[in-house]
Amino acid sequence: MPMTESSVPIARARFSVAPDHPALPGHFPGDPLLPGVSLLQRVFQLLEESEGMSAPMGLANVKFLAPLRPGDSCSIEIEALGPGRYRFECRVGPRVAAHGDITSASSG
C-alpha cells in the first residue's frame, strides 16, 4: 500500500540511475532498465543508514509499478509503521515506481 499524504518519512534519499550501472547491459539489451533487486538494495541501504538495521529483513506487498531507466532520478521515502516495521515508496517524478513493506528480523 503506498504512503499517504499524512505520512511522515523517517528517511529520504535521491539517486540517479547511472548510464553505466553494471546491471543495465543485461537487463534488458537494447531497452535497459534498473532491476528491481538493485532498487531494493538502495532502499535497504537507506534503512540501514537511517535506522542502523543490518539484520535480515522481510518484504511484503512489494510492487514494481514503473521502470527506472538510465538517467532517471529516483526519490526514496521510508516511514515507520511500528517497532521494526517500515513502508517504502520510490518515485520517478510524479510516478510511483515501487512500494512495499519491510520487517526487521528482530520485530517478529
Side-chain angles (χ1 to χ4, degrees), residues 83-106:
R85 296 178 47 240
Y86 305 90
R87 177 162 293 142
F88 73 90
E89 184 174 270
C90 303
R91 289 183 168 271
V92 176
R95 297 176 297 150
V96 175
H99 64 80
D101 298 329
I102 300 172
T103 307
S104 73
S106 60

Side-chain angles (χ1 to χ4, degrees), residues 1-106:
M1 168 178 276
M3 295 168 63
T4 64
E5 292 288 323
S6 62
S7 300
V8 177
I10 59 166
R12 286 187 174 126
R14 179 173 292 283
F15 74 96
S16 292
V17 179
D20 62 347
H21 189 285
L24 293 176
H27 204 268
F28 296 94
D31 188 22
L33 58 92
L34 187 72
V37 69
S38 296
L39 182 56
L40 288 175
Q41 181 181 17
R42 291 282 189 150
V43 172
F44 293 160
Q45 181 182 13
L46 178 58
L47 194 51
E48 183 177 355
E49 290 169 2
S50 66
E51 296 295 296
M53 181 187 303
S54 59
M57 301 171 222
L59 293 169
N61 306 314
V62 176
K63 304 268 189 235
F64 296 98
L65 305 168
L68 277 84
R69 302 207 179 275
D72 280 350
S73 179
C74 178
S75 63
I76 302 170
E77 291 190 351
I78 298 174
E79 72 175 313
L81 301 176
R85 296 178 47 240
Y86 305 90
R87 177 162 293 142
F88 73 90
E89 184 174 270
C90 303
R91 289 183 168 271
V92 176
R95 297 176 297 150
V96 175
H99 64 80
D101 298 329
I102 300 172
T103 307
S104 73
S106 60

